[in-house]
């Protein structure tokens, strides 16, 4: 995505930003995302911004999808996904989620320009 930069997070974890705003970041293990069988903290959680609460609900309502959320992210326009479950997504699904994340955080001018250059069929604009 244009104008995307990668900056190190507090623990050196990658944080993808556009215009200084994060749209994807690799989270460090935290107590709110754990393996239900072992109690071990997930070490591969990725946070991805979404445009609206409806988008978050659409991605997290089905427990069979790799997307989830935790109480810590209640009211936050993002979803969580384990890196180990990314292969369950099609390239199109992953592309759409990342494009929507970028569009939700980019400036209005950058978003309009990107949508104009990539057509009205771009992710999040159909």
């Amino acid at each position: 995505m244009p104008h995307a930069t990668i900056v190190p997070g507090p623990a050196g974890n990658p944080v993808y930003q556009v215009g200084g705003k994060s749209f994807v970041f690799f989270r460090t293990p935290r107590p709110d995302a754990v393996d239900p069988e072992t109690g071990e903290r997930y070490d591969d959680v990725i946070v991805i911004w979404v445009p609206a609460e409806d988008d978050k609900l659409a991605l997290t309502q089905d427990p069979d999808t790799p997307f989830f959320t935790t109480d810590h992210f209640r009211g936050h326009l993002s979803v969580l996904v384990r890196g180990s479950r990314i292969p369950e997504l099609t390239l199109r699904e992953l592309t759409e989620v990342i494009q929507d994340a970028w569009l939700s955080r980019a400036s209005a001018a950058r978003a309009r320009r990107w949508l104009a250059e990539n057509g009205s069929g771009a992710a999040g604009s159909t």
Side-chain angles (χ1 to χ4, degrees):
M1 299 301 299
H3 306 284
T5 57
I6 304 170
V7 298
N13 50 312
V15 178
Y16 290 78
Q17 296 184 336
V18 59
K21 294 180 180 179
S22 302
F23 66 97
V24 172
F25 73 88
F26 290 74
R27 196 171 159 207
T28 56
R30 303 209 12 131
D32 65 314
V34 298
D35 183 308
E37 294 178 18
T38 66
E40 293 291 318
R41 294 178 182 185
Y42 292 140
D43 63 0
D44 64 342
V45 175
I46 304 166
V47 179
I48 304 172
W49 264 253
V50 294
E53 187 67 25
D54 288 346
D55 298 291
K56 180 176 183 168
L57 290 173
L59 290 169
T60 60
Q61 281 183 328
D62 182 353
D64 292 332
T65 71
F67 298 104
F68 67 101
T69 191
T70 67
D71 286 343
H72 180 76
F73 284 89
R74 185 176 313 212
H76 191 267
L77 292 179
S78 63
V79 295
L80 308 176
V81 63
R82 294 191 60 205
S84 60
R85 294 195 63 191
I86 292 288
E88 296 175 34
L89 301 171
T90 66
L91 179 57
R92 182 182 177 120
E93 290 169 328
L94 182 59
T95 299
E96 182 175 330
V97 169
I98 300 302
Q99 288 174 348
D100 284 349
W102 184 91
L103 287 165
S104 73
R105 304 293 284 169
S107 69
R110 282 183 177 158
R112 279 192 307 272
R113 187 169 36 254
W114 187 86
L115 288 169
E117 292 170 359
N118 291 279
S120 61
S125 64
T126 53

